[in-house]
Amino acid sequence: GVFISDGVPGPAEEGTAGSITFTVTLSQVMAAPVSVDYASANSSAIAGSDYGAVSGSLLFAAGETTKDITVSVLDDGLFESTEAFVMGISNAILDPGGANSVLVITDSTGVGTITDDDIGVSIGNGVPSVATEGTDPSITFTVSLSQAAGSEVTVDYTTANGSAVAGADYVAVSGTVSFAAGETSKTATVQLLDNTVFENPEWLQVQLSNAILDPGGANDSLVISDATGTATIVDDDIGIFISNGVPSAAIEGTDASVTFTVSLSAAETV
């Protein structure tokens, strides 16, 4: 039988590992040559962007049992999750041009895995994710790097209104977080305001932009993989409201009265 291994190294780091090698093996020594076709195919990794596509035929001389296929790994400069491509073998022939016997392929597919060496920047949702006005003084958002950098990284941030409004529900803030070499986590804090107006739950965002590796030096732009963090503010104020009448359509002479219910949004404690 004929089979192919998964790629080595597995996984290969983009920008560090120059190539991935697949080994095609014959399960026993043959007395005549053997040819095997091969071709790479995309999975989550894309040929021309993440790896160099290859195809062709391997020719085993009589007595040989292994042959290698080498695929180049490309550094695309984009922050990505771990990706994979496949190497398929087909058409295994013993003594091509002679007996031309077809051999059984017991494993026709090898998988090559590529991890990213690029640094991604992201922001999480606020903590607490649901803050109570008048109880929680602030909401904290965490800005993260996917891996430590060898030099300083700066990232700009700013608040943005959702249904919550800066100056009424929270204090607008903007600025720059700076990661020293080796650091992977920084926070941005948004102060909440208690406006004494009863409101439904509202939300706000903190947005990232302009992520720079080694500002003032190489000044390389980094990919922001998640640019927006969100948090919700609920009200501690007591709202008063009245329901529609019950029954909603009273019949004169049958219904003696119509009842309206006045409610508080929360129990009063004093």
Side-chain angles (χ1 to χ4, degrees):
V2 184
F3 58 93
I4 187 171
S5 71
D6 288 332
V8 176
E13 185 178 74
E14 173 188 296
T16 302
S19 62
I20 296 176
T21 299
F22 299 83
T23 299
V24 180
T25 303
L26 306 183
S27 60
Q28 63 187 57
V29 173
M30 298 295 179
V34 173
S35 65
V36 182
D37 294 340
Y38 65 90
S40 57
N42 293 344
S43 180
S44 51
I46 306 300
S49 175
D50 301 305
Y51 72 96
V54 296
S55 62
S57 293
L58 301 173
L59 183 62
F60 294 78
E64 288 185 322
T65 58
T66 62
K67 287 286 186 180
D68 290 337
I69 304 166
T70 300
V71 178
S72 58
V73 176
L74 306 179
D75 190 350
D76 58 10
L78 302 176
F79 175 70
E80 300 165 306
S81 300
T82 298
E83 299 176 308
F85 66 96
V86 296
M87 182 65 66
I89 58 174
S90 60
N91 196 33
I93 302 297
L94 173 64
D95 194 15
N100 217 44
S101 302
V102 176
L103 298 179
V104 173
I105 297 176
T106 56
D107 189 345
S108 64
T109 303
V111 177
T113 306
I114 303 171
T115 57
D116 208 331
D117 67 328
D118 299 301
I119 298 172
V121 183
S122 62
I123 186 169
N125 289 329
V127 176
S129 58
V130 179
T132 301
E133 175 188 296
T135 301
D136 296 306
S138 62
I139 299 173
T140 300
F141 296 80
T142 300
V143 182
S144 301
L145 304 183
S146 61
Q147 60 185 5
S151 57
E152 182 187 12
V153 173
T154 59
V155 186
D156 295 340
Y157 67 91
T158 186
T159 49
N161 290 344
S163 51
V165 176
D169 301 303
Y170 70 93
V171 178
V173 63
S174 62
T176 301
V177 291
S178 179
F179 298 80
E183 292 184 322
T184 58
S185 181
K186 289 289 182 178
T187 59
T189 300
V190 179
Q191 301 297 321
L192 301 184
L193 300 176
D194 190 351
N195 59 14
T196 71
V197 176
F198 176 72
E199 300 166 305
N200 291 320
E202 300 173 308
W203 58 275
L204 64 98
Q205 293 182 333
V206 173
Q207 300 174 345
L208 302 182
S209 62
N210 195 34
I212 301 296
L213 173 65
D214 192 18
N219 213 47
D220 294 326
S221 295
L222 298 180
V223 174
I224 299 176
S225 56
D226 191 343
T228 303
T230 302
T232 299
I233 305 170
V234 295
D235 210 328
D236 67 334
D237 300 304
I238 297 175
I240 303 173
F241 56 93
I242 188 170
S243 69
N244 291 328
V246 177
S248 57
I251 301 174
E252 182 185 296
T254 300
D255 296 306
S257 63
V258 178
T259 300
F260 296 83
T261 300
V262 179
S263 303
L264 303 181
S265 61
E268 180 58 79
T269 57
V270 294

